[in-house]
Amino acid sequence: MSSSVEAITVLSSDGDEFKITVSAAKLSKPLNWMLEDVCFSDDCDEVPTIEVNSKTLVKVIEYCEKHAPRANSGASDSDAEELKKWDIEFMKMDVKDILFHILMAANYLHMEGLYDLACQTAADLMKGMTVSQIRKIFHIKNDFSSEEQEQLRRQHPGCSFD
Amino acid sequence: MDSDAPYLPEEILTNILSRLPVKSLIRFQCVCKDWKNLFKTPSFMAEHVLHSTQQDSLLLLKSPGYKCNPEYVRLIHRDMQVLEYQTPPSSVRQRDIIGSSNGLVCLILMYKSSFILWNPATREVLRVPKAPNLYHTGICDLGFGFSPIVNDYKIVLLSLSSLDDDGVYLVQVFSVSKWSWKEVEVGKLKGMVSFVAPGFSFDGAIFWFGFGCKPRFRASKRFLISFDIATESFALITIPKSSLTSESRLTTYDNKLAMLSKSRVESTESFSIKLWVMEKRVGTSRKRWTWRKIYTSNPFPDRTYFLRSLTIWRNEIVIVGVTGGETVLVFCNLHTNEFKMLTMGKYSIGTVISAIS
């Protein structure tokens, strides 16, 4: 691989162009493979497409660029502490608008750290939601019959179907 | 309005749900039938335990005495706060705990020889059908465990045909996924050993302390008996002589089977706790296992009565003790060698607590 290449250009699923540094792309195996393809290919004009929309890809790249120095060199405890704080700020986002898209992207791009963080964030957000809010964001229909609801209420007094 | 939220694949959804606290899981059983059923599957419970272990809590279960005491489930948080976990369902009270594995607790009502499975995460209580055959001696020994290979929980029940020398074991195994009992071969153990119940479950097997009770074995001969939950077969494992006292306890350390034992500090009245781990020996055919002593504690604190060691939790050995009429948990740090105490309130002396970490 040529060491002169420091960043590559990728396309989002919406067709927008994004730049990602070589060191940041290493956080994701599929991205790393793409990068090797681009660097070894004779036809350098080809821009690979990542099946993630622009809005999500911006966030994913932001995460990669932030985490890359630590992932590539190891970090001190104070750095890890700072990074943790950054993660919390980074994850302050809307569940349905973006968090779910990030989850799918992290899964698709094999990014363990981001996937773990996004799953935990989703779980933390769900804790404060009502049952009907949960059904809405997960597109779920209440399929309990009224008898079954009655039975569950008996088993768990105070449980709610709304 | 919410149509822009994508449908999450099942794998991602399960991962998120398994990170929810018990309280939320109980609420979200009402979302739909799929979720309610999912929370009951062994694989989900395993994932949930994995994530709650990462959150570093220790669940303490106090075996009830003669009087029903509903307050026997406590949770110790990593910041050493004692939390009320939940009140167990009344059908679970006054039972003895056989064991717990992957978040499911198995209990027995001894005089009725009936078993109950309790999932504290969903508060579900399942009544296990009675074992089809029992000798008049009743239930002698028990074990409960989970095997990831067959993705199943099993209860092992041993009954002895007579308490004389020629008594033979009847072994019956209950499979939670098949929801039925089955008789299994006792194999080479045939009436030659006694088990010290209940068994400890780890890595797809159940382990008991055992000792020889036939002329073939010297009476002092002690070992571990293992039962492979997937293959339903028994095996014997030798243990170092010096490691075994009546207070020995099995636990896990560093992802290995480990043993805590209490031994007297030479020429003093005090004693220390020793930690042994079992390691698989590679390349030898005869003795596959080897024990290594990896830690000896400082002498146990004065004026604290030692009841039993429980487990290892976050690099500390957890011991139940009594001091000044109160039950305490004594934490012995494996790195700093320091002892730390946590008062558990005025339980009666003799209270037995088992722990699930």
Side-chain angles (χ1 to χ4, degrees), chain B residues 209 218-223 238-246 248 259 261-263 276 287 291:
Chain B
F209 285 115
R218 274 171 290 129
S220 62
K221 180 84 175 165
R222 301 196 176 203
F223 34 77
T238 51
I239 42 179
K241 232 183 197 165
S242 55
S243 70
L244 208 102
T245 60
S246 55
S248 294
M259 182 162 47
S261 67
K262 174 186 151 185
S263 64
W276 306 70
K287 265 175 136 184
W291 290 91

Side-chain angles (χ1 to χ4, degrees), chain B residues 94-164:
Chain B
Q94 286 185 300
R95 282 358 188 226
D96 279 319
I97 298 150
I98 296 172
S100 72
S101 196
N102 260 345
L104 197 63
V105 183
C106 181
L107 305 112
I108 183 168
L109 185 58
M110 208 62 180
Y111 67 90
K112 274 190 183 163
S113 306
S114 68
F115 296 90
I116 281 169
L117 295 171
W118 176 40
N119 180 355
T122 60
R123 301 190 184 182
E124 196 122 17
V125 175
L126 299 168
R127 258 161 238 283
V128 174
K130 282 207 167 182
N133 300 303
L134 269 188
Y135 287 120
H136 69 281
T137 56
I139 296 168
C140 297
D141 297 293
L142 291 162
F144 173 69
F146 174 77
S147 164
I149 298 169
V150 287
N151 197 19
D152 195 5
Y153 296 88
K154 285 178 185 173
I155 301 171
V156 179
L157 183 158
L158 291 108
S159 181
L160 204 54
S161 65
S162 97
L163 296 175
D164 301 333

Side-chain angles (χ1 to χ4, degrees), chain B residues 5 37 93 210 260:
Chain B
N37 293 331
R93 293 176 202 163
L260 294 167

Side-chain angles (χ1 to χ4, degrees), chain A residues 63-75:
Chain A
Y63 178 91
C64 286
E65 299 290 357
K66 184 72 190 178
H67 279 254
R70 184 172 167 260
N72 294 332
S73 63

